Amino acid sequence: MQKIQTYILSEEFSTVEVLKLYCSEFESLETVICSSCEDVYTKITSNNDKQLFIADLSENKSQKTDLISKIASNYSNCKILALSDNPSVNLIVEVMRLGAREFLPVPIIKDEFIESLNKILCENEEEKKKNKCKIISVFSNKGGIGKTSLATNLALEFAKITKENIALIDLNFQTGDITTFLDLKPSFNISYMLENIDKINETFLLSTLERYKRTSLYVLADPPYFKQADTIKPAQITKLFNTLKDTFSYIVVDVEASFDGKNIAALDNSDIILLVTVANLPALRNTQRCLELFEKLGYGKEKTKIVVNRYMENDEIKEEDVQKVLSRDVYWKVPNNYFAIMSAINKGIPVSEINTSTNVAQSYRELAKYMSDNLYKINMEERFDSILNINGENK
Ligand SMILES: Nc1ncnc2c1ncn2[C@@H]1O[C@H](COP(=O)(O)OP(=O)(O)O)[C@@H](O)[C@H]1O
Ligand SMILES: [Mg+2]
């Protein structure tokens, strides 16, 4: 049997010895002790078979993270296990994002090492899916505020940044705009999905939801004909979301500007609600009322985030005023750019396709990056909770 070359890189002699010993329990592995990053790189680049790289980041961290990044993005035949005697959330997030499959603290505990290697060697796809799906609702209790623009562009940026499957759902049953914003003509819509929820699985979802161009963004549109939404039960919405959760990393929902049962069900099921407002008094009053209601519904500050749309630095009402009126921090500000937004809407394309460097396109992209980084961090904290507890002060 062809053995899997297992490259070990650590400056600590005892770590190398322990790794050699534990690896010897796996018949399929052949350990190769490496002397430097260059040494590892040369070996990995000249091997086309399945291989493994065990990288101890306790020393020369940045050099090794660069190496992990290069290997993970160019050599999918090489799986990476990262180690460190100082594992912080930031480090774990960084190396897992770069492409490491597992992370372990040094000193290495044998059972944990065996378990991690088993996971890596079994190529267990289920493990990869441990990143739990996050549901993000975009809401405002007033129309015309910029909900659909935000939901659509944010979802697309999530897809571009994470390359994972993203679902964008239009819950505006009679006034849905997403299909117009993205110029799509879907063959299946949310009404169909809700009626056939028991028959739906991953293959069905990925083949029937409308994919935006060649991205990993899938759209679940509103019905193309006038459809009464009041026949939809909140439980159906919950069930739909639960079904989508297995297939998608993020679900972005453009929620209708009203508090009916289906919308509240969507908000209830959300991890984060982006409450969109603009910096003028009537809109802020409405947002205030909305926050009061959210409090009654039990949605705390962790869940509801204020997004000020159409923000202008020279506005009469400034960010501080918005914070004062709402007694909340402003989570994000999307700049005012009527020209870019309108030409995107009129052409049926996202603002980034008009021009990636416009202030609105950048703002949506940075928001997606900020949110996905934070949500990924939470996932990593949950997944590596035991490691971080050992090193509690590193959080
Ligand atoms: N960042 C922005 N800058 C300038 N105008 C905007 C911006 N976002 C939205 N708009 C304007 O607001 C209108 C309503 O946006 P839309 O996303 O359809 O809001 P909603 O879904 O809340 O009704 C758009 O047609 C556009 O003219
Ligand atoms: Mg809308």
Side-chain angles (χ1 to χ4, degrees):
M1 183 181 72
Q2 168 96 12
K3 292 204 174 193
I4 299 170
Q5 298 296 298
T6 304
Y7 307 107
I8 295 174
L9 180 62
S10 173
E11 284 78 2
E12 181 58 50
F13 177 72
S14 59
T15 305
V16 174
E17 287 305 300
V18 165
L19 288 170
K20 252 176 19 189
L21 185 70
Y22 294 167
C23 283
S24 69
E25 303 222 350
F26 290 83
E27 254 181 49
S28 59
L29 302 184
E30 182 171 298
T31 50
V32 181
I33 313 303
C34 297
S35 55
S36 65
C37 287
E38 293 73 32
D39 185 21
V40 175
Y41 192 67
T42 316
K43 291 188 162 92
I44 286 173
T45 50
S46 53
N47 182 354
N48 294 326
D49 299 321
K50 197 170 162 182
Q51 44 188 338
L52 181 65
F53 173 31
I54 305 181
D56 180 2
L57 305 178
S58 307
E59 282 177 51
N60 298 321
K61 195 170 69 184
S62 61
Q63 227 190 334
K64 286 176 194 154
T65 46
D66 286 350
L67 179 62
I68 289 176
S69 164
K70 265 202 295 190
I71 294 173
S73 44
N74 298 311
Y75 301 92
S76 58
N77 58 330
C78 182
K79 303 286 176 258
I80 301 164
L81 165 63
L83 314 171
S84 171
D85 62 3
N86 190 14
S88 63
V89 181
N90 286 343
L91 180 64
I92 297 176
V93 168
E94 187 186 351
V95 294
M96 297 298 285
R97 275 228 143 155
L98 290 176
R101 292 292 297 271
E102 287 290 319
F103 196 107
L104 286 175
V106 174
I108 300 156
I109 296 166
K110 187 175 177 184
D111 287 351
E112 287 181 358
F113 180 80
I114 305 271
E115 192 187 323
S116 290
L117 267 201
N118 273 329
K119 277 186 200 159
I120 294 176
L121 296 173
C122 294
E123 296 259 40
N124 193 339
E125 288 302 309
E126 284 307 305
E127 279 304 314
K128 276 211 246 164
K129 281 196 177 170
K130 274 209 169 152
N131 291 348
K132 276 191 244 119
C133 171
K134 298 287 179 202
I135 302 179
I136 296 150
S137 276
V138 182
F139 187 75
S140 156
N141 51 344
K142 206 171 180 303
I145 292 284
K147 245 179 334 109
T148 306
S149 306
L150 177 64
T152 308
N153 288 287
L154 177 66
L156 181 67
E157 294 304 324
F158 274 143
K160 286 198 217 155
I161 289 172
T162 65
K163 312 268 189 307
E164 292 169 24
N165 292 336
I166 314 293
L168 173 61
I169 305 180
D170 199 337
L171 272 194
N172 299 266
F173 265 52
Q174 278 129 38
T175 53
D177 284 328
I178 290 176
T179 48
T180 316
F181 275 45
L182 293 178
D183 192 24
L184 298 171
K185 287 173 195 63
S187 10
F188 291 89
N189 61 66
I190 189 160
S191 222
Y192 177 89
M193 292 291 172
L194 288 168
E195 281 155 21
N196 294 281
I197 196 84
D198 293 324
K199 298 182 213 148
I200 290 166
N201 58 23
E202 175 160 325
T203 321
F204 181 83
L205 281 170
L206 293 178
S207 58
T208 51
L209 291 195
E210 196 69 20
R211 188 167 162 195
Y212 180 67
K213 295 185 179 164
R214 298 180 67 186
T215 67
S216 56
L217 174 66
Y218 293 81
V219 176
L220 184 44
D222 57 314
Y225 44 87
F226 189 84
K227 179 97 185 168
Q228 285 297 355
D230 50 12
T231 53
I232 294 163
K233 296 187 187 67
Q236 281 174 284
I237 296 287
T238 304
K239 198 157 184 196
L240 173 70
F241 284 11
N242 284 338
T243 309
L244 294 170
K245 266 181 170 178
D246 291 336
T247 305
F248 295 94
S249 297
Y250 295 88
I251 301 173
V252 179
V253 195
D254 181 358
V255 186
E256 200 177 28
S258 93
F259 285 106
D260 68 13
K262 79 168 167 31
N263 297 326
I264 292 185
L267 298 174
D268 273 344
N269 279 289
S270 299
D271 296 284
I272 290 182
I273 301 169
L274 296 176
L275 182 55
V276 191
T277 189
V278 288
N280 66 47
L281 268 187
L284 291 174
R285 289 246 162 79
N286 271 306
T287 308
Q288 234 174 0
R289 279 188 223 141
C290 193
L291 280 172
E292 282 166 22
L293 186 76
F294 279 0
E295 240 157 70
K296 289 195 183 115
L297 291 167
Y299 308 160
K301 287 186 179 160
E302 283 304 301
K303 177 160 170 166
T304 39
K305 311 282 186 197
I306 306 293
V307 176
V308 181
N309 192 30
R310 310 195 67 165
Y311 189 77
M312 287 188 287
E313 294 298 335
N314 55 358
D315 250 347
E316 210 176 328
I317 299 180
K318 305 258 179 283
E319 182 177 356
E320 305 84 76
D321 304 318
V322 174
Q323 307 204 141
K324 234 183 256 161
V325 173
L326 301 179
S327 311
R328 283 298 186 88
D329 288 344
V330 169
Y331 182 72
W332 203 260
K333 300 185 298 260
V334 178
N336 186 59
N337 191 335
Y338 185 77
F339 178 77
I341 293 274
M342 278 324 287
S343 53
I345 295 175
N346 288 333
K347 291 191 173 75
I349 53 176
V351 279
S352 60
E353 284 179 35
I354 292 287
N355 181 349
T356 45
S357 59
T358 56
N359 56 0
V360 267
Q362 274 177 16
S363 177
Y364 291 136
R365 182 166 61 244
E366 281 160 21
L367 175 60
K369 168 105 181 52
Y370 179 70
M371 291 188 80
S372 59
D373 278 354
N374 283 330
L375 294 168
Y376 191 84
K377 231 175 194 172
I378 294 168
N379 270 332
M380 286 298 136
E381 272 175 354
E382 285 168 6
R383 184 168 163 198
F384 292 100
D385 202 26
S386 56
I387 298 180
L388 292 161
N389 278 342
I390 300 170
N391 296 270
E393 73 285 358
N394 288 321
K395 277 198 173 184

